[in-house]
Amino acid sequence: ENYFAQKQTVLALNMLHAEDQLCQRMAWALYELLYVGTTTMPDNTEGNLYSYDIMTRNCFGTYDQILKEMTFSPKMGEQFNYIDSSATRFHWDAWYDETTGVRKLVFPDENYAREVMQLFSIGLHELELDGTETRDKFGREIQTYDNVNIMNNARVMTGFTYTARRGNTEELFRATKSRFEPFRIDIDKHDFFPKQSIEDGWIGDRYPLCEDLPKHHFLKIGATYRFRGGSSIPTSQYMPASWDADEKIKRFVLSPDSMLYKKLCDPDPAGNCNFSNVVTLDENLNCFGNECSVDSVIIAQISPGAFYEYIRQPCTHFSFYNNGKKVVTGVSKPSPALEWKYTHAMCANPLTAVAARSCCGISVIDRIEYNYKFEYHGEVVSAGTNEAICIANGGTVCDPTSVRAYDPMAEIDPEYNAIYPSQNTYFWTDTPCKQQILVRNDGMVAIVHEPQANPSVTARTVLFVDASASINYISVPWNRDTVTGEARFPTTSNECGGGACTVFDDKCLCDITIAENSVFDALPSSSDALQFLHVGAIDPAVYDDRSYSLIESAEGIEAYALSGTSAINSTSTIFKVTGDFGEVFFLRNLVSQVTVGGTYVLRNPVGFIDLVKVEERDAEFEVDAFLNHLTRYSSSAPFICKRLIQFFGISNPSPAYVERVVKSYIGGFYTHRGTVFGDGRYGSLAATAAAITLDKESLAPVIDEDPVSGNVREPLLKVIHLMRSLRFERRPHIKLRYGLFDGLRSKIGQSPWEAPDQFSFFSGDYATPGLIASSELVSPESQLLSISNVIGLTNGLFSLHSYGLAVADGGLGPFLTRLPSVGDYSSSVGFLTYTTVNDISDKINDLYTLMTAGRLSDDNKQVLVDAYNYFAKAHGADTGERVLLQLMSALPEFHTWNTVRKTGLARSITPSPPKASNTYKAIVFINLFGGIDSFNVLTPHSNGGCYLYDDYFEARGGDVGVGLTLDEILPIDGSSAGINGCKTFGVNSLLPSLKDIYDEGRGLFFANMGHLHKPCTNKNWLTETRTDLFSHHTMKAEAHRVDAFKEGDGPGVLGRMLDVLEDYGLAVSATSVNAHSIMIDGSPTTGRLSTAMDTSGVPRVYHREFLKGNQQELRLFLEKLHSETQENSGAFSNQWSQSFIDIW
C-alpha cells in the first residue's frame, strides 16, 4: 500500500471535484500559511488529513478557531517540538536528588513559541493597517518580539500531551496514544506562573478576577456544563480515577426539584431526561438544597449514570494579595506514639475557593478536622465559607498541631506530591502568610511564600514558592530610567536597591506591599479605558447578590456603580467598553500595584492558574487567551491578510487593497453589491475570502495593465486547474491505493505535505534578481523556478494530454503496468475528457477562458491557431487537438497571472558565462537540514589553565545545565585563535570525524561567525546591528546573505563575490542543487540567474512525437509562445518565458 500517496489523493480529489471551490482554495492558502509537513507522520494518512480537515472545516470560520485547533493538533505539536515540553518546575522537582541536592534544569521548548509569532500571527516587524512596515524615528523597521517574549510564550506551550488512542485505526496499529484527537494539557507539566504579553502586559489582562465571581456562579448566566455520560470523573479538573467506581465517594447529587436539575435534564412530559452534550445557562437560577451550601461545583450527578462537569468561566488571580492565609497539605506520622501532622504549607487568597474545609476544636482543641461537613469529594471553598460553617458548628479555624479526617468517608490520599501538585488538597488555617519577591540580577523574579511557622509542626514551604528551592522565575515590566532607558530593579551590584531588599543567595529577597486604587475619577473615553484598565469584570447583569446601576455613558462606554455608590471613582465601578475589534469588555476601575522593597513599583501580575488549586481547565483558558492576544496584536491582521492575498495569486498587493481586506478581517463583514459576507466575528475568513476575491484589484481588467500585477502561479495549483478545467476523470476500476500522483515534489517542486521545512514551499519575501528585486517587489513562487521544476511541469502536462495521468514521458501519475503509446490511456489512473467545438477560433476562445481567464494575447492566440492548423493537416485532427492542449498548458499566460505584449522578435537566451581557458575554482556550500547547538560542537578546553572553559560551562548552566564536561570533549590545537592561556579547544566526542578532519589539516573551524558582525550585548544589540535575531527564517537568510547592515548590492554573499569577480573580467556561474538559494544571487541589476538543478541530473523537455531527435516540429511554436515581450508586458510572464527558454 502506498500510504504516503493516500493523503495526497484525498486532497487532490477534494480540490478536483468538491463543489465548494472557494472553500478549497482558502483551505490551501491557510495550509500554506500554517504549514505542517511530513517531518512527522509521513505515512499516516488519517493523521495528516486530520490537520488539513481543520482548514476545510473552518475555511469560512475564524482564523482564531483554526489557530487554536492547529495548536492542539498532534501534527503541529510534533513538528514544532512542544509535545511533552514541560515547565522548568516539573523537571526541577521531579529530578531532585535528596542525597546530593542536585536537580535537573530543563527549560521549555521555544520552537513553537517563536514560530507562532513569526509565521502564524504577528510576523517579524510592526505593520501598519495597510501592510507596510512601521518605522521608528530613524527609519528603521521595528521588531515585534524579542527573546523574552519567546521565553514567556514557551512557558505557555508546556504540558501538551497526547490523548488516549481511539478504538479504530489506532487500535488496529496497536497505538498507545492518539495522533488524531486534539492534545490535552497535563497541568502538572504546565507552567503555573503568570506570563507577560508582547505589549508588556499580562496574558490574562481584561479577564475578570476569580475573587469577583458572583456567589453561586455555577447557577448564573453563561455557566457551562459538559455531559460526561456515565463517568463521574471530570476531563479538565483533577479527581482520582479510582473515585469513579468507588461507592464510598460522596457525590454532588442534584434534586429533581432543583432549577439546575431541570436545565440539565431537560425532561420530556414523562420525566425522561434528554441530555445535551453541552448546556449553557441563559438565565440566573435560584439555588436549591445542597446547591446553597457550596461555593462551586465540579461534577453534578443528575441520575445514576448521568453526570455533568461544570466548566467555570475564564477568570484570573492576582499573584499578590492582601490578607493571605496559610493553607496546609500532606500528612505524616513521625512515630506511632504521635498524632498525624501536616507536612507542607503555602499562601492562599482567602477570597477564592481553592482549599478544602477544615475546622478545629470539634473533638480536640488544636486538631483540625479536614473536609469538615463537606458536600462532596473534591470540594473547595473560600476562607469565608469555611469559617462560617466551622463557627456555626461550634468550632474555630486554626493552625493545627495535628490533623485527621472528619469522617472516614472524607479520607483522601494524605501524602504530599511534589511532582504532581494538582493531586494535593489544601486546607484552610487562620494563620497569616507572607508573600515576597526574589529578584535575580537579570531582573527576573520568583514568587515567594513564607507561611507563619507552627512551633508544634515541622513543615516546609511548598517547593515552587520556596525562596531556597524555587527555580520559577518570570519576567516583569520594571520601570525604566528616563535617561538611559535601563530597567530599574534591585540587584546585588546596587546592594539590593541600597538596602531596600536583602541579599539572598546572590539574589535580592524583597518584602512587598499591595495597593489597590481606582484609575478614573470621571467617565473616561473608550480608548482611555482600554489603554489604562487591565482588570476585567463580570457583566453587572449577572450579579444577583449585589446590585449595579448605570450611572453615566458616552460613545462606546458605559459606567455601572455598585448600589449605594454613585461616584465613578470607586474601585467597584464597572465599565462596559466596546473594543477596537467590536468586542465588548467589562473592566473594573481598579489598578493593583505591588511596591517591592518600598522602592520599586510593579503592576500586580495576573494569571489564570491559582498556585494552590492548579487545574487543566485554567491552562486551557491561558492558551486561549495567549492565542487571542497574538491574533489581536496590531500587526497580526495585516500580516495574515497580506499573506492570504499572496497565496490567492497577487504577489504585490497595493497598500490600499491590503487595508480593505484587513478591515473586513477585523470587522467580520464584507459587502459586495448588496450581498453581505461574514458573520461579524473578528478574523472572519468568509469576509476575508470575499474581500480578496471581490475587491476591485481582483476584478477590474485595468489592473492587468500593470506589469507587476498577479504572480507566477504555484505548480500544484496549475496542475489542479488544468485537470479540473479539462474535466479529469478517474478510470473507475483503478484502486485509489495507487494514488493519483507520484513524485510530484521532485518533478514540479511542490506536493502536499512535502515542503522542505516549516516555512512552506517558498518564502513570502523572495525576489528574483533583475526587475523584480530592483523594484523592491517580491515573487515568492519564483523560488520554485528551477531547471528540474520547469521542465518537470512541462513534461508532466504534456504527458497528461498524451497518456492520461500516468508515468510515461515524465508524467505525474504512478506506474501501473506498461509504457503506453500516445493516446492510449490504459496505463493511467485517469484522463482528461474535455472536448472542443469544431471551429478553431471557438476552440481557442473556450480554452483561453478556461486556462487563462481571458488573458491570452492576440499574438499567442495566432500561434495556437497556426499550430493547430499545421498539426491537424500534417498528422490528423486528433493530433492537432492534443498539441493545441499541450501548447495551451505551456502558455506564459497560463503559468502566470499576467498579460503578455510581444515585440515580434524571438527571445534571446541569457548568455552563458564564457568558457575559461584555464582551470576553475569552486566554492561548495552544503546547507544541512535541521538545527545544531554549535556551542556544543566546538568548546573551550581547560588544558593549560584556560579560563574560557569555566566561563563556557557556567554560561551553559553549570552542573545542572547542558554544557559538555571535559570527558565529553576531544582536545584539538587551538593556538591559531591567539587567545592567551588558551591553546587547546575541544570538539564534541560524538563528532570524532570533525577532530580527524581538523587534525589532518583538511578543515577549519570558523568560531563565533553568527548573525552579529560586531561586538554587542543583549542590551545594545538592537541599536548596534540591523538584524532579526529571533527567527529561524531570517537567521538562515542571514547565513546566506552575511549582510547584517543590509549594505550589499545583492542578497547573497556568494553572489556578491561573483559580482566582484565578474567586474574583474572573470567568467563566473552559480548552480544550486534541489532548490534555489539566495546565497548565490548577485546584484539585481545584473539579472544573472543561478541554475537550480535536481540531484538526478539535468532533465530536458520531452515530447515523444515532436521533440525527439530530429523530430522538432513543436520547437518553433514553443519559441513563438515565449518570444520577446515589450517593457510594459507582464514582469512575471516575462520571467517565466525567459526561464523556459533558458532552461529548455
Side-chain angles (χ1 to χ4, degrees), residues 5 20 23 48 114 149 201 271 312 315 335 491 530 556 573 766 861 967 998 1095 1097-1098 1127:
D20 55 347
C23 176
N48 283 280
R114 174 181 52 253
N149 299 131
R312 191 208 65 216
C315 61
S335 71
T491 67
L530 291 170
T573 298
Y766 177 76
K861 181 177 180 180
D967 60 349
Y998 179 83
T1095 51
V1098 180
E1127 287 187 357

Side-chain angles (χ1 to χ4, degrees), residues 152-217:
N152 288 329
N153 296 353
R155 293 171 45 230
V156 176
M157 300 306 302
T158 50
F160 283 77
T161 191
Y162 299 101
T163 56
R165 74 181 186 188
R166 299 193 313 192
N168 47 28
T169 60
E170 290 176 316
E171 188 171 84
L172 176 66
F173 288 100
R174 301 296 186 266
T176 58
K177 59 196 177 187
S178 175
R179 300 175 81 183
F180 309 150
E181 298 299 323
F183 283 143
R184 55 173 289 268
I185 298 177
D186 184 337
I187 184 59
D188 293 303
K189 294 182 179 180
H190 187 76
D191 188 289
F192 305 153
F193 296 88
K195 288 88 177 173
Q196 257 191 287
S197 67
I198 299 171
E199 298 164 312
D200 281 345
W202 297 98
I203 303 297
D205 280 347
R206 296 183 180 174
Y207 284 81
L209 296 172
C210 296
E211 65 186 57
D212 287 341
L213 291 175
K215 185 177 181 180
H216 301 142
H217 48 82

Side-chain angles (χ1 to χ4, degrees), residues 829-879:
V829 294
F831 51 90
L832 305 175
T833 63
Y834 174 81
T835 56
T836 63
V837 294
N838 291 326
D839 181 73
I840 180 59
S841 180
D842 290 341
K843 286 179 194 288
I844 294 176
N845 286 341
D846 189 40
L847 286 169
Y848 88 64
T849 300
L850 290 173
M851 301 284 284
T852 72
R855 289 184 175 86
L856 183 64
S857 66
D858 290 338
D859 290 320
N860 277 347
K861 181 177 180 180
Q862 188 59 50
V863 173
L864 295 173
V865 171
D866 294 343
Y868 174 79
N869 290 332
Y870 171 80
F871 284 99
K873 181 178 180 180
H875 302 284
D878 288 346
T879 300

Side-chain angles (χ1 to χ4, degrees), residues 970 972 987 991-1003:
L970 305 172
I972 61 171
V987 175
L991 301 169
S993 59
L994 294 185
K995 171 180 166 59
D996 294 341
I997 292 171
Y998 179 83
D999 287 344
E1000 293 167 6
R1002 296 189 294 114

Side-chain angles (χ1 to χ4, degrees), residues 910-916 920-924 1054-1059 1061-1062 1066-1072 1079-1082 1088-1093:
T910 302
S912 300
K915 292 184 179 180
Y920 72 93
K921 293 183 178 180
I923 297 175
V924 179
L1054 296 182
R1056 297 199 304 275
M1057 290 181 185
L1058 295 180
D1059 290 345
L1061 295 173
E1062 196 170 29
L1066 297 175
V1068 300
S1069 65
T1071 302
S1072 61
M1079 176 175 279
I1080 53 181
D1081 283 345
R1088 184 186 66 245
L1089 295 174
S1090 59
T1091 300
M1093 57 183 291

Side-chain angles (χ1 to χ4, degrees), residues 55 118 239 268 310 435 459 487 557 630 818 886 889 932 946:
M55 315 299 181
Q118 176 197 343
M239 279 187 177
D268 62 18
Y310 169 55
Q435 296 173 285
I557 187 168
L630 291 182
R818 59 187 176 80
Q886 289 169 332
S889 64
I932 188 170
C946 177

Side-chain angles (χ1 to χ4, degrees), residues 78-99:
E78 291 179 9
Q79 175 153 320
F80 287 97
N81 311 118
Y82 60 91
I83 175 64
D84 291 328
S85 175
S86 300
T88 303
R89 178 215 67 80
F90 179 79
H91 293 285
W92 189 251
D93 293 344
W95 293 88
Y96 177 55
D97 187 327
E98 294 186 2
T99 304

Side-chain angles (χ1 to χ4, degrees), residues 9-31:
T9 300
V10 174
L11 185 145
L13 290 175
N14 280 341
M15 287 181 166
L16 286 170
H17 303 301
E19 295 182 359
D20 55 347
Q21 281 297 295
L22 183 59
C23 176
Q24 297 297 325
R25 190 68 182 81
M26 174 60 88
W28 178 252
L30 291 164
Y31 172 73

